[in-house]
Amino acid sequence: SQAAVVGGGGGLSGGSLGLASEQMLRSAYAMALVRCVNGVCDGGQRGTQATSVQTLARRVGLPVWVVELRHDSSHNALPALPLLRLAAAALLEWLRRGHLR
């Protein structure tokens, strides 16, 4: 459920996560975010000239901030866990609005 994504679930959202556990969660959320956005956008690549992920994401209606967070997750430091959870919830909502086939 979306509540499980935003709240954590499994007893991990109580604010008492160890540093290693939080880092693992951040890595897992970031990986899921990167894979989801890339998976959605890869099908839009045509020809020999690559189109930016942001352009492809815009075409299918992915939120721009989620795509930017995906970029940060891939190429910069991992974003904060609450922000990654919001992005996961936004992606789930995007999928529920008719993009999940």
Side-chain angles (χ1 to χ4, degrees):
S1 76
Q2 184 172 346
V5 171
V6 175
L12 297 175
S13 62
S16 62
L17 284 174
L19 188 57
S21 295
E22 182 170 335
Q23 184 65 24
M24 287 173 36
L25 276 175
R26 288 172 64 204
S27 294
Y29 272 98
M31 181 179 63
L33 172 67
V34 169
R35 292 189 63 154
C36 182
V37 171
N38 287 352
V40 167
C41 294
D42 281 349
Q45 290 290 357
R46 302 282 184 255
T48 58
Q49 198 74 359
T51 304
S52 74
V53 173
Q54 192 161 48
T55 297
L56 295 168
R58 192 174 294 120
R59 287 180 189 164
V60 296
L62 277 174
V64 172
W65 72 271
V66 171
V67 179
E68 290 172 354
L69 197 65
R70 168 242 170 241
H71 179 85
D72 288 344
S73 296
S74 296
H75 303 290
N76 300 315
L78 286 179
L81 185 56
L83 190 54
L84 289 164
R85 285 181 169 154
L86 285 173
L91 283 170
L92 285 173
E93 182 59 30
W94 181 84
L95 289 167
R96 283 187 191 112
R97 282 184 303 167
H99 302 284
L100 186 62
R101 296 182 191 357

